[in-house]
């Protein structure tokens, strides 16, 4: 499993190079037995190799732009990349004008030395939770490709690319679960920050009131490393938080009913370990969770937001 800290040590020791890491990522993307053709809508192979070589030259000269310098990353198809069309997972925008500049989130990654290997697939206009895309295909969940289970959405390609080792971090967006759901379904870590933490300019909107930008990666520490870059803050160590005294609520009711048997066993085992470590675990009903169908009828709050985006600005709108 690739982590930022482990790869930083390997790079510093000269046991690998940015070019080698990028070639590994590109090989996984191109593997005909894998999900690269559905997880990615565009691959920047030549540019990624050139950026990796540049990172290696800087490292040999003693220059390290950040803890993630030279590591391969992907970006969701709703982010502007200079010179490319931002399709947001739709064929409707395929003929739009190319972006004039990188989105701030993309620009900050570049400045930190991240090597962008490609644009990942997503639910059309980010409006969906299962990860389906009828236009460009749906990447299969890496944990059960034979069955063809969904990857979760809307950052579907991001989560699959991350889980399959096609990148060290996948840049995603979250309105009402679009980072958290695919991260959970694909077995990686996803972080949804507060909305104002990372600029949303240059990211195709779903809901101006709810959209936020964050990373999918292989560990909490990896997400923290990329979050500091996206938020333009200096990197800092994560504080340790023990379980003793933590009060945790398990919502009784439909939210955890009808779980897959394996998931249910793992969930209960996790609760046992938390309780043994001193956490206070309570099981109580949460009435609001039983009203999900009501909340999301006709698309819910986000549905009204996206209708307003298209009604007032139409295709290609990137700012309120």
């Amino acid at each position: 499993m690739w982590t930022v800290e482990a790869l930083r040590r390997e790079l510093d020791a000269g046991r690998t190079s940015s070019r080698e890491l990028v070639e590994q990522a590109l090989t996984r993307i191109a593997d005909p037995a894998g999900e690269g053709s559905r997880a990615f809508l565009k691959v920047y192979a030549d540019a990624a190799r050139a950026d990796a070589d540049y990172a290696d030259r800087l490292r040999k000269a003693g220059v390290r732009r950040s803890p993630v310098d030279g590591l391969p990353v992907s970006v969701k198809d709703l982010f502007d990349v200079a010179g490319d069309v931002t399709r947001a997972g739709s064929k409707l925008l395929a003929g739009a004008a190319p972006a004039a500049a990188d989105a701030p989130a993309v620009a900050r990654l570049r400045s930190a030395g991240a090597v962008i290997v490609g644009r990942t697939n997503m639910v059309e206009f980010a409006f969906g939770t299962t990860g389906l895309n009828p236009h460009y295909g749906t990447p299969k969940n890496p944990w059960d490709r034979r069955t063809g289970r969904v990857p979760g959405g809307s950052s579907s390609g991001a989560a699959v690319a991350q889980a399959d080792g096609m990148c060290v971090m996948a840049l995603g967006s979250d309105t009402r679960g679009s980072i958290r759901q695919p991260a959970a379904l694909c077995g990686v870590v996803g972080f949804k920050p507060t909305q104002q933490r990372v600029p949303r300019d240059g990211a195709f909107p779903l809901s101006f009131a709810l959209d936020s930008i964050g990373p999918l990666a292989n560990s909490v520490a990896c997400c923290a490393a990329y979050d500091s870059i996206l938020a333009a803050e200096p990197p800092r160590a994560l504080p340790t938080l023990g379980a003793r005294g933590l009060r945790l609520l398990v919502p009784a009711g439909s939210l955890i009913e009808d779980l897959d048997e394996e998931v249910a066993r793992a969930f209960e085992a996790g609760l046992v370990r938390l309780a043994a470590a001193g956490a206070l675990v309570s099981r109580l009903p949460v009435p609001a969770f039983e009203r999900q169908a009501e909340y999301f009828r006709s698309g819910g709050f986000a549905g009204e937001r996206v209708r307003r985006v298209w009604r007032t600005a139409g295709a290609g709108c990137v700012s309120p």
Side-chain angles (χ1 to χ4, degrees):
M1 182 178 72
W2 284 355
T3 65
V4 169
E5 179 57 27
L7 290 177
R8 183 191 63 78
R9 291 196 300 266
E10 293 296 296
L11 286 167
D12 286 348
R15 291 188 289 266
T16 191
S17 66
S18 177
R19 179 62 180 262
E20 289 174 357
L21 295 176
V22 167
E23 291 294 351
Q24 290 173 22
L26 293 174
T27 297
R28 289 187 172 100
I29 295 170
D31 183 357
E35 293 300 306
S37 62
R38 285 178 288 270
F40 281 82
L41 297 186
K42 186 169 185 179
V43 178
Y44 303 127
D46 292 340
R49 291 184 175 107
D51 289 344
D53 290 343
Y54 181 61
D56 287 335
R57 290 196 297 271
L58 289 180
R59 187 172 295 274
K60 288 181 179 179
V63 177
R64 291 164 180 76
R65 289 168 286 182
S66 79
V68 306
D69 194 3
L71 302 184
V73 304
S74 66
V75 300
K76 190 175 179 178
D77 189 47
L78 56 67
F79 292 100
D80 284 350
V81 174
D84 267 357
V85 174
T86 304
R87 290 175 287 182
S90 176
K91 287 190 174 181
L92 183 62
L93 300 181
D102 288 339
V106 174
R108 288 177 179 182
L109 289 171
R110 287 196 199 276
S111 294
V115 179
I116 299 173
V117 294
R119 303 173 68 89
T120 53
N121 198 359
M122 57 180 284
V123 176
E124 186 174 21
F125 302 131
F127 198 61
T129 60
T130 57
L132 303 179
N133 188 303
H135 308 299
Y136 302 109
T138 299
K140 298 176 183 178
N141 192 305
W143 296 102
D144 190 356
R145 289 204 175 93
R146 179 173 298 179
T147 303
R149 298 188 187 276
V150 297
S154 64
S155 304
S156 53
V160 172
Q162 184 60 44
D164 270 355
M166 301 175 193
C167 52
V168 178
M169 186 279 294
L171 184 64
S173 67
D174 192 307
T175 302
R176 58 185 190 190
S178 287
I179 287 174
R180 294 162 288 170
Q181 289 164 157
L185 266 64
C186 291
V188 299
V189 179
F191 176 58
K192 176 189 182 298
T194 53
Q195 189 185 47
Q196 299 302 316
R197 183 162 175 78
V198 181
R200 291 170 292 130
D201 306 292
F204 193 92
L206 175 60
S207 168
F208 296 125
L210 300 174
D211 294 347
S212 59
I213 294 168
L216 295 88
N218 284 337
S219 72
V220 173
C222 292
C223 283
Y226 283 102
D227 171 70
S228 66
I229 290 165
L230 294 169
E233 293 183 354
R236 56 187 176 185
L238 292 175
T240 300
L241 179 64
R244 184 165 300 280
L246 287 178
R247 299 179 63 187
L248 305 176
L249 172 65
V250 178
S254 62
L255 192 66
I256 59 171
E257 291 175 352
D258 196 30
L259 292 178
D260 179 273
E261 290 185 5
E262 185 177 357
V263 172
R265 287 195 300 270
F267 183 66
E268 290 299 325
L271 294 178
V272 170
R273 291 184 64 180
L274 286 167
L280 306 175
V281 180
S282 302
R283 299 174 186 263
L284 295 170
V286 181
F289 288 168
E290 306 305 317
R291 301 176 63 184
Q292 295 299 300
E294 176 186 341
Y295 297 151
F296 292 105
R297 186 177 295 122
S298 300
F301 183 71
E304 173 54 32
R305 297 281 95 185
V306 76
R307 280 192 292 270
R308 182 171 298 183
V309 167
W310 285 96
R311 185 171 60 245
T312 60
C317 172
V318 294
S319 61

